[in-house]
Amino acid sequence: MARFLIVPQWQGSSSARAMQLVDGAEAIAGDLPRAACTMIEVPAEAGEDLGTGVRRLSTLRRVRELVEEAVRHAEEPLIVVGGDCGVAAGAVAATAGDDLAVVWMDAHADLNSPESSLSGAFHGMVLRAILGEGPEGLALPAGAVTPARVVLVGTRDLDPAEAAFVEEAGIRMLPTDALDDPAQLVAAVAATGARRIHIHIDLDVLDPSAITGIGFPVPFGADPVALVAALRALREAFPVAGATITEFAPASPADAASDLGTILRLVGALA
Ligand SMILES: [Mn+2]
């Protein structure tokens, strides 16, 4: 798998530094083979919430449509480079099926609903939308992905409403140190019954000591070497239907340069 879809979407983020997600997407793309990259034109305007409780919904909906279409018509699985985590909705919508599991590697669960979200930022609701709940045009059809086919990995900062949902829906959640034992991770994914996987990486799954360009750092994250080994183990065990790598928001070109080595190792483990 070595084709990339570059999606510099920032509208799903609540960070004051959201625009740096555009710089992040461009910095990663700049280090990938140009011929292997397709760029999605993200509208410049913020967009309107249209009374849904999701900020900038109109733009997010347009980008979701463009991403879904590009992934659906691609001849091979794509690695979608964000942008904020919200880019995963279109990517998973295009490949969902009852044989697909979603492996969500993220410090946060991204499981808020528009009602429970305090920020109105879609990147905190995207996994819930993948599970079929959320505004029309963002949420996947109900049942396209079920909670039984989601595995959260390295998730360590949940809002109370998200923790309650994880519990109630019975979503599998593995702590950061499960990455040190790739067999445990592979077994948890196999237990979903899925035959193909989508791998989602929010770079904040990494420990803040390993990456500087993230908007929402959470301590006690993953070691990049362990994460690379875990990605390789997943790829050996399951066909990869698609991947997302998101939330790179470097403060400056110098900061971007210092993180790119780590990010490209993760990309290499996916490609
Ligand atoms: Mn996320």
Side-chain angles (χ1 to χ4, degrees):
M1 182 163 83
R3 286 213 52 95
F4 303 92
L5 188 69
I6 315 298
V7 191
Q9 171 179 283
W10 57 272
Q11 286 90 343
S13 173
S14 59
S15 169
R17 295 169 42 184
M19 295 294 290
Q20 290 169 357
L21 291 160
V22 178
D23 304 334
E26 284 168 0
I28 297 172
D31 271 8
L32 296 173
R34 188 176 292 258
C37 295
T38 304
M39 185 74 98
I40 291 282
E41 292 277 340
V42 173
E45 68 263 31
E48 302 295 326
D49 79 352
L50 308 175
T52 59
V54 178
R55 289 176 67 197
R56 308 170 183 145
L57 170 97
S58 55
T59 299
L60 295 166
R61 198 145 67 179
R62 176 68 186 135
V63 177
R64 177 185 170 320
E65 198 173 275
L66 293 170
V67 171
E68 181 174 351
E69 206 169 305
V71 174
R72 196 181 291 286
H73 294 117
E75 279 164 22
E76 57 185 307
L78 295 182
I79 299 176
V80 176
V81 176
D84 66 72
C85 273
V87 303
V92 176
T95 59
D98 57 15
D99 59 345
L100 183 84
V102 175
V103 183
W104 198 265
M105 300 174 152
D106 195 321
H108 310 91
D110 301 348
L111 279 170
N112 271 298
S113 64
E115 293 72 35
S116 71
S117 171
L118 298 175
S119 67
F122 181 58
H123 73 166
M125 311 180 204
V126 55
L127 186 53
R128 192 70 172 258
I130 286 170
L131 290 169
E133 290 180 65
E136 200 193 323
L138 283 183
L140 273 63
V145 176
T146 60
R149 283 189 278 113
V150 170
V151 180
L152 290 167
V153 183
T155 308
R156 55 197 187 280
D157 184 11
L158 293 94
D159 294 343
E162 292 180 303
F165 182 76
V166 165
E167 177 81 27
E168 181 190 301
I171 295 176
R172 291 174 178 81
M173 186 159 73
L174 299 179
T176 301
D177 51 14
L179 291 167
D180 297 333
D181 179 6
Q184 186 192 342
L185 174 61
V186 167
V189 176
T192 67
R195 312 299 294 269
R196 303 177 298 142
I197 57 174
H198 178 96
I199 301 175
H200 173 78
I201 300 173
D202 180 325
L203 290 167
D204 66 23
V205 74
L206 292 170
D207 192 77
S209 67
I211 187 153
T212 55
I214 48 173
F216 300 86
V218 183
F220 306 112
D223 169 61
V225 174
L227 182 53
V228 164
L231 293 172
R232 293 227 165 93
L234 283 173
R235 281 192 58 213
E236 274 167 32
F238 306 96
V240 175
T244 32
I245 184 156
T246 64
E247 297 283 342
F248 185 38
S252 68
D255 277 13
S258 76
D259 286 336
L260 276 168
T262 299
I263 294 170
L264 291 170
R265 276 196 292 279
L266 300 179
V267 170
L270 291 170

